[in-house]
Amino acid sequence: MKFSYALLKKLVPRVPPKQKLAEALNMHTCEVEGVEGDTLHLAIPANRYSDLASHVGVAREAAAIFGAKFVNPVAR
């Protein structure tokens, strides 16, 4: 699936650069198939699809990995 780094950056303002985020996601959550421009291509495992199939899910995971604050778009 394709995910926008710019949108992830809005949801987790302190998210690291794309390459560091890709490495962390590879180690903790799912396989990053590639980083092209502003897009991350993720291969989400079947057992994690329910919580990682959206930008909000990936942003929550990134916030948990890096100990950053997640900005909930619904609570605004």
Side-chain angles (χ1 to χ4, degrees):
M1 294 183 75
K2 296 179 181 180
F3 294 92
S4 166
Y5 178 76
L7 183 53
L8 293 174
K9 187 87 172 154
K10 286 183 183 178
L11 296 173
V12 184
R14 296 190 61 210
V15 74
K18 290 178 269 193
Q19 289 296 26
K20 187 170 181 182
L21 175 61
E23 290 172 10
L25 289 174
N26 269 332
M27 294 296 291
H28 294 281
T29 306
C30 59
E31 182 180 348
V32 178
E33 295 177 334
V35 179
E36 296 175 10
D38 192 40
T39 305
L40 296 168
H41 298 273
L42 305 180
I44 300 172
N47 65 335
R48 295 297 308 267
Y49 193 81
S50 62
D51 60 331
L52 287 176
S54 68
H55 280 84
V56 171
V58 174
R60 284 180 192 224
E61 191 70 25
I65 291 170
F66 293 106
K69 183 175 182 200
F70 169 72
V71 179
N72 191 346
V74 178
R76 286 183 168 187

